[in-house]
Amino acid sequence: MSVINNFDGTLMPYEKCLRYGAQALKDEELVAVLLRTGTKNHNCIEVARNLLLEFGNLGILGFRHINMEMLKKIEGIGQVKAIMLSCVGELASRICNSDRKFLVEYDSPEKVANYFIPQLKHLDKEHMILLCLDTKCRILRESLITVGTVNSTLVSPREILIEAVQNGAVNIILIHNHPSGDPNPSVEDIETTERIRKAAEIVGIDLLDHIIIGDNKYISLKEINCI
């Protein structure tokens, strides 16, 4: 493992953790400790940094959304590391969900929006997130479906439904951000939402809402009667 810049300029992540505690490690250093090794061209710190950047600036939060297939597309991440990191992501998701008591059940767009605004409002690309819910509208899974360009996401009903069915969802909610800061839905947003709603209905899943996040504000397509 290569030397990195830290408190004295000489410590590697393991040594830094021993001396100062895990809280002193940067995000890429924490991930590097898990990875242990890099590749021929990149050390583990560089692999970790590339991994964090891969998810559109979500950084360490991205581990709550990743799956193994997404991981294995990254250089230096084989099946064993993908399994390990996927488990880390699931653990992080469960810890987050256990601490998110105010969002145990979906009963208002405001609750969902207030949770996601801090995560999504400053991102420079659109991110589409899927909330999978059970029959009582309790959250089963929070998944990052796609990262798009500065003005659109690339998402299909098929991707949404595969994730929903795999997680046993009965109800789903979509959330995505507008990097412009304006949460007003585009024609494409409304049309995509309707395609997903119709496809979900066929397999017995209800699309409860699609919430668009702007700069400290949001719009619920349900509240404006677009669902």
Side-chain angles (χ1 to χ4, degrees), residues 58-82:
L58 275 176
I60 204 74
L61 288 173
F63 278 89
R64 291 169 46 213
H65 310 294
I66 54 180
N67 60 52
M68 285 197 291
E69 294 309 310
M70 294 168 71
L71 284 166
K72 286 191 288 186
K73 293 178 182 178
I74 300 169
E75 183 183 3
I77 306 297
Q79 182 162 301
V80 172
K81 288 181 179 177

Side-chain angles (χ1 to χ4, degrees), residues 105-124:
E105 295 181 11
Y106 168 78
D107 58 15
S108 76
E110 183 179 13
K111 279 187 179 180
V112 177
N114 286 342
Y115 176 73
F116 283 100
I117 282 174
Q119 294 184 44
L120 301 178
K121 66 179 181 178
H122 295 310
L123 298 181
D124 57 4

Side-chain angles (χ1 to χ4, degrees), residues 161-218:
L161 294 181
I162 287 175
E163 187 71 16
V165 170
Q166 287 179 340
N167 287 287
V170 176
N171 303 290
I172 57 175
I173 300 170
L174 296 173
I175 303 100
H176 88 274
N177 63 303
H178 279 179
S180 67
D182 180 2
N184 284 293
S186 65
V187 172
E188 183 184 41
D189 290 335
I190 295 172
E191 291 176 348
T192 298
T193 302
E194 182 61 13
R195 288 200 306 271
I196 294 170
R197 186 195 67 77
K198 288 180 177 179
E201 187 176 38
I202 292 172
V203 296
I205 296 174
D206 289 333
L207 174 60
L208 299 182
D209 207 343
H210 184 171
I211 297 171
I212 302 175
I213 304 297
D215 187 3
N216 286 323
K217 51 190 174 182
Y218 74 94

Side-chain angles (χ1 to χ4, degrees), residues 18 20 27-28 33 66 94 104 114 144 150 152 161 165 215:
L18 283 171
Y20 300 109
D27 289 354
E28 61 262 32
V33 169
I66 54 180
R94 294 186 189 188
V104 170
N114 286 342
L144 177 65
V150 294
S152 66
L161 294 181
V165 170
D215 187 3

Side-chain angles (χ1 to χ4, degrees), residues 38-181:
T39 67
K40 180 179 179 180
N41 299 318
H42 301 285
N43 62 40
C44 60
I45 293 287
E46 292 169 335
V47 173
R49 189 176 296 118
N50 290 337
L51 174 63
L52 292 171
L53 291 174
E54 183 69 19
F55 300 101
N57 297 325
L58 275 176
I60 204 74
L61 288 173
F63 278 89
R64 291 169 46 213
H65 310 294
I66 54 180
N67 60 52
M68 285 197 291
E69 294 309 310
M70 294 168 71
L71 284 166
K72 286 191 288 186
K73 293 178 182 178
I74 300 169
E75 183 183 3
I77 306 297
Q79 182 162 301
V80 172
K81 288 181 179 177
I83 290 171
M84 178 186 64
L85 291 169
S86 182
C87 289
V88 169
E90 180 60 26
L91 179 62
S93 182
R94 294 186 189 188
I95 291 172
C96 179
N97 287 340
S98 67
D99 194 41
R100 194 171 53 184
K101 296 179 181 178
F102 73 92
L103 200 55
V104 170
E105 295 181 11
Y106 168 78
D107 58 15
S108 76
E110 183 179 13
K111 279 187 179 180
V112 177
N114 286 342
Y115 176 73
F116 283 100
I117 282 174
Q119 294 184 44
L120 301 178
K121 66 179 181 178
H122 295 310
L123 298 181
D124 57 4
K125 292 183 180 180
E126 289 194 5
H127 289 61
M128 175 71 77
I129 292 174
L130 172 69
L131 289 185
C132 295
L133 310 173
D134 66 12
T135 55
K136 296 183 178 180
C137 293
R138 294 174 299 198
I139 295 175
L140 299 170
R141 176 79 178 179
E142 175 187 321
S143 302
L144 177 65
I145 299 300
T146 186
V147 177
T149 64
V150 294
N151 58 9
S152 66
T153 52
L154 303 174
V155 63
S156 71
R158 181 176 180 273
E159 293 175 273
I160 299 289
L161 294 181
I162 287 175
E163 187 71 16
V165 170
Q166 287 179 340
N167 287 287
V170 176
N171 303 290
I172 57 175
I173 300 170
L174 296 173
I175 303 100
H176 88 274
N177 63 303
H178 279 179
S180 67

